[in-house]
Amino acid sequence: MAMRQTPLTCSGHTRPVVDLAFSGITPYGYFLISACKDGKPMLRQGDTGDWIGTFLGHKGAVWGATLNKDATKAATAAADFTAKVWDAVSGDELMTLAHKHIVKSVDFTQDSNYLLTAGQDKLLRIYDLNKPEAEPKEISGHTSGIKKALWCSEDKQILSADDKTVRLELIKSFETPATINSASLHPEKEFLVAGGEDFKLYKYDYNSGEELESYKGHFGPIHCVRFSPDGELYASGSEDGTLRLWQTVVGKTYGLWKCVLPEEDSGELAKPKISFPETTEEELEEIASENSDSIYSSTPEVKA
Amino acid sequence: MQTPLPSPVPVLRLPRGPEGLSRGFAPDGRRALLKPEVPGTPESPVVHECQESQEQRARALLRERYLRSLLAMVGRQVSFTLHEGVHVTAHFGATDVEVANFYVLQLQTPIGVQAEALLRCSDIIAYTFKL
């Protein structure tokens, strides 16, 4: 029985959401941080989208945000020429790292000992978080502002991208109907999700490159998409100022989504029967009806 | 030839948003006792804890499922099987924190309908309800 994807909208930001990151899986579940042009990055519970706290301190748009593996630390990159490291449990600011231009990207190593930053000054910087007073190691080479820099290959290499070049080996490429801003590979690599300028999210089969599903829902271009560490959901951040959570397997009971078994006697499709104070059934229909574009077929044999 | 639209996946509720002007990070929250790891401290051996933590995880999962089942019951008609072969039905309202009592409405008993009642959970053998 096919069901329509119900994205969960996380509100709270007042400007475009430009970056988001998940933590690893911790004993308390996993967490999500969102970077926003309103300068107030937020921490949320990863599987429900519930807001936990807002990191207050930046004086400009926050362009990048990340969490360390166990979600005890957060790092943010902002237009106020600083990157900050935060205690992700208390929300307190731990460190402010001054830069010479807008900082766009931050990334922790797996052991949380080093922080990689990058931005408009075209330099990659590696900070030793055990020695915050020490000067960072600087790596030059980019000829334009760096948009994103990440540790890879077990923190032995850095992957970085600016406007013109991505220093990386091309492994696979996919045709998309619109300019894509961000993509994320499922932890088990069966498929990937991507989003961009046409406001839609696309899901592609990693091996065949076939477009599997697409969803409308955002009211602006999608800036960032990430899979959760368990692959059960993916989050998208948009120019419309919202963050949305989408199910990888539509209809599965997970987080706030609840599987409803069809009545065997009646021919009616299962409908949500619980009434809860925040929304009525009509509102729920409205929320879900934004997605009328699913190409997920209920009769699999129809697909070539 | 129009196929009916598939129904949307139901949700328990919407994600909670920020609370007014508060910055959050509840001081008595679940992670309150956690401090950021001091770098350089050796990791404590994890191996012997593995089985215990697995059990704990399973317990937590089951507990969460049970709590969600209670949430799902709110407002529904529930049939209770009590001691001495007594069966009653009622609309479930709420439970207390120890799940010692169920607050129910329109309790249909052999001697009449009670508008509101507290059912002692120790008196209940089983209960069922339709989703």
Side-chain angles (χ1 to χ4, degrees), chain A residues 269-287:
Chain A
L269 288 167
K271 283 195 135 238
K273 289 207 178 70
I274 316 163
S275 59
F276 36 87
E278 287 132 329
T279 56
T280 60
E281 268 199 35
E282 288 76 33
E283 282 169 34
L284 190 65
E285 274 293 332
E286 226 177 79
I287 293 160

Side-chain angles (χ1 to χ4, degrees), chain A residues 100-121:
Chain A
K100 298 200 170 62
H101 210 309
I102 296 169
V103 194
K104 285 280 183 98
S105 173
V106 273
D107 194 31
F108 286 104
T109 49
Q110 290 287 311
D111 59 13
S112 305
N113 285 329
Y114 296 92
L115 184 74
L116 172 66
T117 70
Q120 296 291 84
D121 62 2

Side-chain angles (χ1 to χ4, degrees), chain A residues 45-106:
Chain A
Q45 191 69 40
D47 61 340
T48 58
D50 289 336
W51 173 81
I52 295 173
T54 304
F55 298 100
L56 298 173
H58 274 300
K59 296 187 177 71
V62 177
W63 286 101
T66 191
L67 291 167
N68 66 352
K69 199 157 96 169
D70 59 6
T72 51
K73 290 206 187 121
T76 51
D80 61 6
F81 291 22
T82 69
K84 287 182 191 275
V85 180
W86 313 77
D87 177 331
V89 177
S90 65
D92 295 332
E93 191 183 308
L94 294 173
M95 270 177 242
T96 296
L97 307 166
H99 289 62
K100 298 200 170 62
H101 210 309
I102 296 169
V103 194
K104 285 280 183 98
S105 173
V106 273

Side-chain angles (χ1 to χ4, degrees), chain A residues 2-4 6 11 28 31 45 48-56 70-71 87-92 113 130 247 250-251 256-258 260 270 274 276 284-285 288, chain B residues 4-19 21-26 30-37 39-40 64 68 71-72 74 76 130-131:
Chain A
M3 300 208 78
R4 265 189 296 151
T6 306
S11 56
Y28 304 91
F31 299 84
Q45 191 69 40
T48 58
D50 289 336
W51 173 81
I52 295 173
T54 304
F55 298 100
L56 298 173
D70 59 6
D87 177 331
V89 177
S90 65
D92 295 332
N113 285 329
N130 305 323
Q247 285 191 284
V250 178
L256 297 175
W257 291 288
K258 180 183 130 76
V260 173
I274 316 163
F276 36 87
L284 190 65
E285 274 293 332
Chain B
L5 271 180
S7 54
V9 178
V11 292
L12 295 168
R13 58 169 173 83
L14 295 180
R16 290 190 202 106
E19 287 146 24
L21 298 168
S22 158
R23 70 159 198 158
F25 298 103
R30 289 190 304 159
R31 298 204 299 162
L33 298 170
L34 212 57
K35 293 279 180 211
E37 277 181 38
E64 190 181 331
R68 287 198 192 277
L71 276 172
V74 175
R76 298 257 178 142
K130 279 205 171 85
L131 270 174

